[in-house]
Amino acid sequence: MSTLPPYDHTPRPYDGLSRDVILSLRAKHCHPVIFTLYKEPLLIVEGSMQYLFDDAGRRYLDLFAGIVTVSCGHSHPTVNRRVIEQIERLQHATTLYLHPNFPELAAKLAAKMPEGLDVTYFTNSGSEANELAIAMARMHTGREDVIGVRNAYHGGTATAMGLTSHSTWKFPLRTPGRIHHAACPDPYRSRFAGTPEQIATASVEDIRDLIRFSTPGQVAAFIAEPIQGVGGVTSGADNYLSEAYNMIREHGGLCIADEVQTGFGRTGGHYWGFEHHGVRPDMVVMAKGIGNGFPLGAVTTTAEIAAAFTSRIHFNTFGGNPVSMAAGSAVIDVIEQDGLQANCREVGGRFKAGLEELQARHDLIGDVRGRGLMLGVELVRDRMTKEPANTETVALLELAKEQGLLLGKGGFFGNVLRIKPPMCITDADVDFALEVLDDALGRI
Ligand code: PMP
């Protein structure tokens, strides 16, 4: 049995509802589409930085961060302090009145963006932010057609569900039309052959075909995650986005980077995922990590594109809420002060090298991929056929949990381990996680 690295935090005794009561309340009163991980669902009642604690006070290393959301660390003291100070003064008033937090965070985001991307609209979630980005692109271009990428996830509201390209997440409901999905450039499962760069180029040719054969020849927008998150940490080679953006711009469209998972330093080498591809999007969509757990989303774009969306009123009651703004602002400062982007690069590099070493010894690992602290491990039953090892993935998650390690899972077939922890994990955490994975892989 591996031992978690030492950590100085005593969780408070838990005296809330029991697991059984919570389970029965959930079964009776909560919507059944809401699901839990694990055969015996975990009751998590406290967190401190990269660790979570259950009702019995047991500590776990969290490698999933509330689905890539707790960027700085659970209950990070600086984020907490700034949020508490704000809650004690004013919880809500709306953007109808002046307040410093909302323009302050907008200015901080502008300072992190490429030149000219300096106007932000705040929402409460990534889905809402994607809805808005598409609406703005359509208004600005006067066109309707949008190109997305297969295997992408962009949310569960109407347009966002249309952008999402996974039958798993699509209900048989009418979603706004004229959204088309091009081939996913992920070299591991692409139907195109060649080097990752050639596969990226072939995938961009697929965009050309879609524009030619499924649209009036001009488009409103292209939207892509620099690294697909829910899709299983999949991405195209570094030439993909630049070639795709050129193709879209030749056909009159705007380029939207969905940075909901890849933003805020997580990929290590750069603050934004798109920067690895050397591109400048026309809009950047954010959520999750921007708030460290507070409901906060945003779209940053140019003044010109934003202006096209002023012909009618668009209002969001909670968008710009002073408490969420305080959280977002604190997150940006903490990423700087705690050196979290550099940590993602360094600790993430150690983690990836360790996973590749496990791949050399465990046939179950078909592919190791990702950047910084956004890593994926695809499990397959046979490296030739790439048959997805989905039940094995579930078994591995259970074994890891028993040893105090919480992982995420994703990919179309549910066979990809998603490793996207709070960005403050240490070398010792990585070594512990690799030991647990090594042991669990050996037992499956
Ligand atoms: N875009 C991406 C890339 C995401 O991963 C998600 C959430 N998984 C969303 C958008 C939607 O965000 P939300 O759940 O906050 O609506």
Side-chain angles (χ1 to χ4, degrees), residues 208-269:
R208 187 200 299 282
D209 279 352
L210 269 185
I211 297 174
R212 277 188 179 157
F213 300 114
S214 303
T215 77
Q218 294 271 298
V219 296
F222 170 70
I223 182 165
E225 303 156 83
I227 300 176
Q228 294 179 331
V230 174
V233 198
T234 39
S235 63
D238 290 352
N239 56 319
Y240 176 66
L241 283 186
S242 59
E243 292 179 21
Y245 280 22
N246 286 342
M247 180 69 69
I248 294 299
R249 286 175 174 147
E250 275 169 32
H251 296 87
L254 300 180
C255 298
I256 304 169
D258 183 335
E259 291 277 350
V260 167
Q261 296 206 15
T262 45
F264 297 92
R266 176 165 293 281
T267 58

Side-chain angles (χ1 to χ4, degrees), residues 67-69 124-130 152-157 160 164 169 223-231 258-262 285-288 295-297 374 418 420:
I67 318 189
V68 211
T69 297
N124 313 293
S125 70
S127 302
E128 268 182 282
N130 276 326
Y153 185 89
H154 295 291
T157 54
T164 293
W169 303 98
I223 182 165
E225 303 156 83
I227 300 176
Q228 294 179 331
V230 174
D258 183 335
E259 291 277 350
V260 167
Q261 296 206 15
T262 45
V285 173
M286 295 151 270
K288 290 189 183 277
L296 175 54
M374 177 140 180
R418 289 166 69 196
K420 304 157 177 193

